[in-house]
Amino acid sequence: MTKKKMKLGLSIRYMGYHVGSWRHPDVPADGSSLFRSFLNVVHTAEKAKLDMVFLADGIGVRLDDKPKGSMSRSRHNVELEPLTLLSALAPLTHNIGLVATASTTYNEPYHVARKYGSLDQISGGRAAWNVVTSWSDQEAWNFSMSRQLDYDTRYERAHEFVDVVTGLWDSWDEDAFILDKQSGIFYDEKKMHVLGHVGKHFSVRGPLNVRRSPQGRPILVQAGVSEQGQQIAADYCDMVFMAKNDLKSAQDYYASVKDRLEAVGRKRADLLMVLGLTPIVGRTREEAQEKYEQLESLIDPVVGLSMLYRSFGDLSHLPLDGPVPKPDLDKVGLKSSAQMYYDLAQKQNLTIRQLYKKIGMAQEHKTVVGTAADVVDEMESWFEQGAADGFNITPTHLPHGIDDFVALVLPELRKRGRFREDYEGRTFRENLGLPVPPSRYDRASNSAEARLAG
Amino acid sequence: MTKKKMKLGLSIRYMGYHVGSWRHPDVPADGSSLFRSFLNVVHTAEKAKLDMVFLADGIGVRLDDKPKGSMSRSRHNVELEPLTLLSALAPLTHNIGLVATASTTYNEPYHVARKYGSLDQISGGRAAWNVVTSWSDQEAWNFSMSRQLDYDTRYERAHEFVDVVTGLWDSWDEDAFILDKQSGIFYDEKKMHVLGHVGKHFSVRGPLNVRRSPQGRPILVQAGVSEQGQQIAADYCDMVFMAKNDLKSAQDYYASVKDRLEAVGRKRADLLMVLGLTPIVGRTREEAQEKYEQLESLIDPVVGLSMLYRSFGDLSHLPLDGPVPKPDLDKVGLKSSAQMYYDLAQKQNLTIRQLYKKIGMAQEHKTVVGTAADVVDEMESWFEQGAADGFNITPTHLPHGIDDFVALVLPELRKRGRFREDYEGRTFRENLGLPVPPSRYDRASNSAEARLAG
């Protein structure tokens, strides 16, 4: 019997999720500005038949310098813009899905629909958009705003934004273009659709000036854990990127998102949930532990505290080996992280130093230290117990984090029949085994309900 | 004695500037959605050592259908977004400059600075931004606006937009990144600059999260002929893309822009003026004329009239072989084109049909029909008489328009010592022979005047 296979991606943030990754002796210190360092790891991921490469994003440089001295020690400064980078990677890859983050807070839906639509054409149907809202004043200040939008407005805007983008992607039926050189007819008027969206945040007429996606529409990814984020996922998305450290809360979240699907007319299998996972793997447990300790030693305390700043404020007046104080959730920028970090500290009884070391290792992602068998045991356990449909690998440092995963963990996963030997399809959607969502104009003509609603 | 060399670029609009280019038997009808068709012509241009590939743009689909039936016959529908396309072309090319158009009317400066900055990193210093304002209500409707901004506001916004973008590009000094793994210092605080722009249209704090350009800053191009457009060119730009049909008006415009440079502390050679040129070339004049007539036959009258619509309104009630009426410049969207088209019709005594055939051939660009020697004679004549520093080739149809130019015209240009045999430099700026503009933070510390102004 063929076992159910996992989905696997490579998630990239600078040269790794570890806050001091650039200091690792094996990492190019300026790698996040170098195209070739990204090309290198993406080629590794594609050769290994991973489903996707996933690029996170932020739209600004944090200038708090809290605690003092942390800023000039942080790699959170310069990088390549994700959509530009993925576009450059597109013609140099052939099968791997290309996921770029773009914010719904400081963009226009027409630009987003158009750029991802174009990337999808260029890549032959491998484009994906990770839908996020932007949560910091630091970013707002780069976009002529004095402060960020409040949480509810951000998510309300995000929901409408995604609705507009998916509508624009339905502008042209697949067979709209007649291209008859003799008669001079370029397209069939009946197969072009004018969106005519008028909403609270946007008015967008359309149509989009990009033809229909080779995969029906680009893949949509979402990562927000809030009620509103989960609803966007259920209404529109193909994939959810989860950051969970304990099985129970992952299972609850997994079920909570999947349970919403039936109400919107979708199947549970139509949305994939992938968990962020940082394996620190050795040929022996001792070797893995040594790698872990080397990485821990690269976390400067002042940078560690700066990572807690947005969730807890400045903690530098407190003893590093004392308890983690409760955050004021009404005041912090990144509510979900603050809650997660505090819960983690409570559950594992962590000091401030222990907490920042944990977060500094791989941000909020689950870390497993051990042999390939240890890592795969843990992956299978979560996979079989309804906590994840797959994993988005969030390596501490690159390229070694992905090299190790491919050399050590993948063979074990394949031995157990848990990962593909080769790509099954042509597009990202086909490789994910997901259905093509019907055009909203097909739905409208096939459904009396939609006709009435329209 | 070495003769002064011309600058040469390839300008791409869909599969050529001819309005019916897609109908030509040698053109892939859906080529403007296909990455490989662009890759093909860009490789041709790079092999020929051209300075640049230049992508025009518009952000929407025109839906007037005036006159009726024109819309479904128009190729102005689907294409690849220019910045996405150039990013994909970047790693597949090595020397050619990559110029993409982006509008200052519906974008945010931070996004533009970041995306072009990233393309510049990826391409090793070959990125360029063609600065435009958007002039149609059709585009405004895609960006939550009920109508376009008025002319003065658009240009005022454009001027401030370019000022912000160039400021963001100076965020990091070239040697800002220390990258000391031992001490953990990533960058030198004194070499990061916070823009802190507060203006009429934008408030942008910065700094940009992309490091300094390999060519100092990306190349800036401008094409507007108005007073305001010329001033933006003089204040910030490296190149002006001109559309002129007669020598005298090109000379006047050339002088008008160059004359502005001294007042802003720049030399006349610091800004290059390139003229849009559509060569229709044959091995004999007869062959060239046959090509021209074949192209003329591909212009559907209803599409021809639709090209005049934005400048003159609907002319379908007038006799096609009658005179061209005077446009109402206060009412039309694209003032500069309306004036240019009308002047052209007056000067050459054109009927409506003759006018739309001329415009349909290569939009507003100068067309030369003849042998390679005829084309080069004309180029040299304009080049030597102070009308242009070079030419941006605007082919009627692709790939043949550029293939013909490279096979027939380039050898003649080289024989006369008017074009390079190989690239001289590494970056686009080096190949153009242009100076690196100093960082505004260098200028500030070196100039008492700037200090006082700041």
Side-chain angles (χ1 to χ4, degrees):
Chain A
M1 199 193 90
T2 317
K3 279 203 232 169
K4 198 181 159 215
K5 302 254 186 310
M6 295 174 186
K7 299 299 164 198
L8 285 180
L10 165 64
S11 186
I12 303 179
R13 191 79 185 108
Y14 303 99
M15 283 292 98
Y17 276 75
H18 184 286
V19 73
S21 56
W22 70 273
R23 297 182 66 189
H24 194 285
D26 296 338
V27 173
D30 61 345
S32 61
S33 292
L34 299 176
F35 177 64
R36 64 172 179 275
S37 52
F38 293 100
L39 181 61
N40 173 23
V41 296
V42 170
H43 273 162
T44 302
E46 185 168 66
K47 216 171 143 190
K49 318 295 180 193
L50 262 53
D51 288 279
M52 63 182 168
V53 54
F54 181 105
L55 295 178
D57 193 37
I59 330 175
V61 176
R62 183 178 56 80
L63 288 180
D64 296 317
D65 203 29
K66 300 262 176 78
K68 196 165 160 42
S70 61
M71 216 171 83
S72 65
R73 292 166 180 272
S74 168
R75 78 231 157 137
H76 291 277
N77 295 304
V78 285
E79 58 181 335
L80 300 173
E81 191 277 324
L83 203 50
T84 310
L85 174 54
L86 281 195
S87 302
L89 289 167
L92 300 174
T93 53
H94 299 96
N95 297 99
I96 198 162
L98 304 168
V99 192
T101 299
S103 169
T104 55
T105 310
Y106 306 116
N107 269 306
E108 289 285 340
Y110 200 90
H111 287 314
V112 167
R114 194 176 174 217
K115 288 195 159 74
Y116 284 85
S118 296
L119 176 60
D120 210 29
Q121 295 293 330
I122 291 171
S123 64
R126 295 183 289 125
W129 172 30
N130 179 37
V131 180
V132 301
T133 69
S134 296
W135 51 267
S136 79
D137 289 338
Q138 308 267 355
E139 287 161 298
W141 298 335
N142 289 329
F143 295 94
S144 302
M145 292 170 64
S146 58
R147 62 183 62 242
Q148 57 172 317
L149 296 175
D150 68 84
Y151 197 87
D152 289 341
T153 305
R154 251 162 41 217
Y155 272 89
E156 187 184 75
R157 181 182 160 104
H159 200 283
E160 187 180 335
F161 195 116
V162 177
D163 187 58
V164 172
V165 169
T166 53
L168 286 170
W169 282 335
D170 284 341
S171 293
W172 300 92
D173 290 350
E174 193 166 350
D175 57 354
F177 297 98
I178 297 169
L179 305 174
D180 183 349
K181 291 187 179 194
Q182 282 311 309
S183 67
I185 303 288
F186 196 83
Y187 69 88
D188 181 345
E189 286 181 23
K190 296 187 301 295
K191 294 179 177 173
M192 184 197 75
H193 307 283
V194 180
L195 182 64
H197 174 88
V198 180
K200 184 166 167 191
H201 299 276
F202 305 104
S203 296
V204 179
R205 190 178 65 155
L208 190 66
N209 55 356
V210 179
R211 71 176 177 188
R212 189 168 189 77
S213 160
Q215 55 180 337
R217 76 177 187 211
I219 294 291
L220 289 176
V221 187
Q222 214 279 335
V225 294
S226 67
E227 195 60 28
Q228 297 99 314
Q230 291 187 43
Q231 199 53 45
I232 291 175
D235 286 342
Y236 299 103
C237 293
D238 302 289
M239 193 187 295
V240 167
F241 182 19
M242 313 159 62
K244 291 287 174 191
N245 275 277
D246 70 292
L247 181 64
K248 178 67 174 60
S249 89
Q251 287 169 321
D252 291 347
Y253 179 46
Y254 184 97
S256 169
V257 176
K258 294 254 178 176
D259 287 349
R260 291 164 196 263
L261 292 168
E262 196 181 345
V264 298
R266 300 176 68 192
K267 299 193 186 116
R268 291 178 86 81
D270 290 354
L271 176 70
L272 298 166
M273 308 275 294
V274 298
L275 182 88
L277 179 73
T278 303
I280 297 175
V281 63
R283 276 154 299 178
T284 62
R285 286 184 184 166
E286 292 67 34
E287 192 187 59
Q289 188 59 33
E290 275 165 31
K291 288 184 183 181
Y292 185 83
E293 283 163 18
Q294 184 189 18
L295 286 162
E296 268 198 333
S297 76
L298 300 176
I299 304 174
D300 192 315
V302 84
V303 175
L305 287 173
S306 78
M307 295 195 76
L308 302 181
Y309 178 73
R310 293 182 224 187
S311 298
F312 297 91
D314 191 346
L315 300 181
S316 58
H317 60 290
L318 296 176
L320 291 185
D321 298 314
V324 175
K326 196 169 164 53
D328 182 347
L329 289 181
D330 292 334
K331 286 197 182 160
V332 300
L334 199 49
K335 214 189 283 192
S336 56
S337 287
Q339 185 68 58
M340 177 188 292
Y341 293 167
Y342 183 65
D343 290 351
L344 184 69
Q346 288 292 99
K347 216 165 278 177
Q348 303 189 10
N349 198 26
L350 303 176
T351 64
I352 291 173
R353 190 195 308 272
Q354 287 166 333
L355 179 61
Y356 79 59
K357 280 195 171 178
K358 257 198 195 304
I359 300 168
M361 191 60 64
Q363 293 185 19
E364 62 270 38
H365 298 293
K366 179 177 167 59
T367 303
V368 183
V369 186
T371 62
D374 292 335
V375 173
V376 175
D377 285 349
E378 190 74 11
M379 291 170 82
E380 281 200 304
S381 154
W382 287 52
F383 184 67
E384 287 167 357
Q385 294 180 75
D389 299 313
F391 300 88
N392 210 6
I393 304 304
T394 47
T396 50
H397 62 299
L398 291 168
H400 294 82
I402 186 67
D403 289 346
D404 275 358
F405 181 80
V406 169
L408 302 173
V409 180
L410 263 196
E412 182 67 24
L413 274 170
R414 289 206 167 107
K415 204 175 75 187
R416 300 192 199 178
R418 288 302 192 188
F419 191 61
R420 67 158 68 89
E421 299 289 338
D422 204 351
Y423 290 104
E424 301 83 14
R426 195 179 46 95
T427 67
F428 187 23
R429 187 177 292 282
E430 285 171 6
N431 283 318
L432 291 173
L434 291 174
V436 173
S439 164
R440 64 177 65 185
Y441 302 100
D442 291 349
R443 279 208 310 265
S445 63
N446 294 333
S447 142
E449 199 175 292
R451 251 202 313 278
L452 290 173
Chain B
M1 199 193 90
T2 317
K3 280 203 230 166
K4 199 182 158 211
K5 302 254 186 310
M6 295 174 185
K7 300 299 163 196
L8 286 179
L10 165 64
S11 186
I12 304 179
R13 192 78 185 109
Y14 303 98
M15 284 291 99
Y17 276 75
H18 183 285
V19 72
S21 56
W22 70 273
R23 296 180 69 189
H24 194 284
D26 296 338
V27 173
D30 62 345
S32 62
S33 291
L34 298 176
F35 178 64
R36 66 172 177 274
S37 51
F38 293 101
L39 181 61
N40 172 21
V41 295
V42 171
H43 272 163
T44 302
E46 186 168 66
K47 217 171 141 191
K49 318 296 179 191
L50 261 52
D51 288 281
M52 62 182 169
V53 54
F54 182 105
L55 295 176
D57 194 36
I59 330 175
V61 176
R62 184 176 58 79
L63 288 179
D64 296 317
D65 204 29
K66 300 261 175 77
K68 198 164 159 45
S70 60
M71 215 170 80
S72 65
R73 291 164 180 274
S74 169
R75 72 213 162 155
H76 291 276
N77 294 304
V78 286
E79 57 181 337
L80 300 173
E81 191 278 324
L83 203 49
T84 310
L85 174 55
L86 281 196
S87 302
L89 290 167
L92 300 173
T93 53
H94 299 96
N95 296 97
I96 198 163
L98 305 168
V99 192
T101 299
S103 169
T104 55
T105 311
Y106 306 116
N107 270 306
E108 289 285 341
Y110 200 90
H111 287 315
V112 167
R114 195 176 173 217
K115 287 193 159 75
Y116 284 84
S118 296
L119 176 60
D120 209 29
Q121 295 293 330
I122 291 170
S123 63
R126 294 183 289 125
W129 172 32
N130 179 36
V131 179
V132 301
T133 70
S134 297
W135 50 267
S136 79
D137 288 339
Q138 308 267 354
E139 288 162 296
W141 298 334
N142 290 329
F143 294 94
S144 302
M145 289 170 68
S146 59
R147 64 183 60 244
Q148 56 173 317
L149 296 176
D150 68 84
Y151 196 87
D152 289 339
T153 306
R154 251 161 43 215
Y155 272 88
E156 187 184 76
R157 181 183 159 104
H159 200 282
E160 187 181 334
F161 195 115
V162 177
D163 187 57
V164 173
V165 169
T166 52
L168 287 170
W169 281 336
D170 283 341
S171 293
W172 301 92
D173 290 349
E174 191 164 353
D175 57 352
F177 297 97
I178 297 169
L179 306 174
D180 183 349
K181 292 188 179 194
Q182 281 311 309
S183 66
I185 303 289
F186 196 83
Y187 69 88
D188 181 344
E189 286 181 21
K190 295 186 300 295
K191 294 177 177 173
M192 183 196 77
H193 307 284
V194 179
L195 182 64
H197 174 89
V198 179
K200 185 168 169 190
H201 297 277
F202 305 104
S203 297
V204 179
R205 191 179 63 158
L208 189 66
N209 56 357
V210 179
R211 71 177 176 186
R212 189 167 190 78
S213 159
Q215 54 181 339
R217 75 177 188 208
I219 294 290
L220 289 177
V221 187
Q222 213 278 335
V225 293
S226 67
E227 196 58 29
Q228 299 99 315
Q230 291 187 42
Q231 199 53 47
I232 291 175
D235 286 342
Y236 299 104
C237 293
D238 302 291
M239 194 188 293
V240 166
F241 181 19
M242 312 159 64
K244 291 287 174 191
N245 274 276
D246 70 293
L247 181 65
K248 177 68 173 62
S249 89
Q251 287 169 320
D252 290 348
Y253 179 48
Y254 184 95
S256 168
V257 176
K258 295 252 178 177
D259 286 350
R260 291 164 195 262
L261 292 169
E262 196 181 344
V264 298
R266 301 177 67 194
K267 299 193 186 115
R268 290 177 87 83
D270 290 355
L271 176 70
L272 298 166
M273 308 276 294
V274 298
L275 181 88
L277 179 74
T278 303
I280 297 175
V281 63
R283 276 155 299 177
T284 61
R285 286 185 185 167
E286 292 66 35
E287 191 186 61
Q289 188 59 32
E290 276 166 29
K291 287 184 183 180
Y292 185 82
E293 283 163 18
Q294 182 188 19
L295 286 162
E296 267 198 334
S297 76
L298 300 175
I299 304 174
D300 192 316
V302 85
V303 175
L305 287 174
S306 78
M307 294 195 77
L308 302 182
Y309 179 73
R310 294 181 224 187
S311 298
F312 297 91
D314 191 346
L315 300 181
S316 58
H317 60 288
L318 296 176
L320 290 186
D321 298 314
V324 176
K326 197 171 162 53
D328 182 346
L329 288 181
D330 292 335
K331 286 197 182 161
V332 300
L334 199 49
K335 213 188 286 192
S336 55
S337 287
Q339 185 67 59
M340 177 188 293
Y341 293 167
Y342 183 65
D343 291 349
L344 184 69
Q346 288 294 99
K347 215 163 281 179
Q348 303 189 9
N349 198 24
L350 303 176
T351 64
I352 291 174
R353 190 195 307 273
Q354 287 166 332
L355 179 62
Y356 78 60
K357 280 195 171 178
K358 255 197 195 306
I359 299 169
M361 190 60 63
Q363 294 186 18
E364 64 270 39
H365 297 295
K366 179 176 168 59
T367 303
V368 183
V369 186
T371 63
D374 293 335
V375 173
V376 174
D377 284 349
E378 190 74 11
M379 291 170 83
E380 281 199 305
S381 155
W382 287 52
F383 183 67
E384 286 167 358
Q385 295 179 76
D389 299 313
F391 300 88
N392 210 7
I393 304 303
T394 46
T396 50
H397 62 299
L398 290 169
H400 293 82
I402 185 66
D403 289 347
D404 274 359
F405 181 79
V406 169
L408 302 174
V409 181
L410 264 195
E412 181 66 24
L413 274 170
R414 288 205 168 108
K415 203 175 77 186
R416 301 194 199 176
R418 288 301 191 186
F419 192 61
R420 67 158 70 89
E421 298 289 336
D422 203 353
Y423 291 104
E424 300 83 14
R426 194 179 45 95
T427 67
F428 187 24
R429 187 176 292 281
E430 285 171 5
N431 283 318
L432 291 174
L434 291 174
V436 174
S439 163
R440 65 176 65 184
Y441 302 100
D442 292 348
R443 279 208 309 265
S445 64
N446 294 334
S447 143
E449 197 178 295
R451 251 202 312 280
L452 290 172

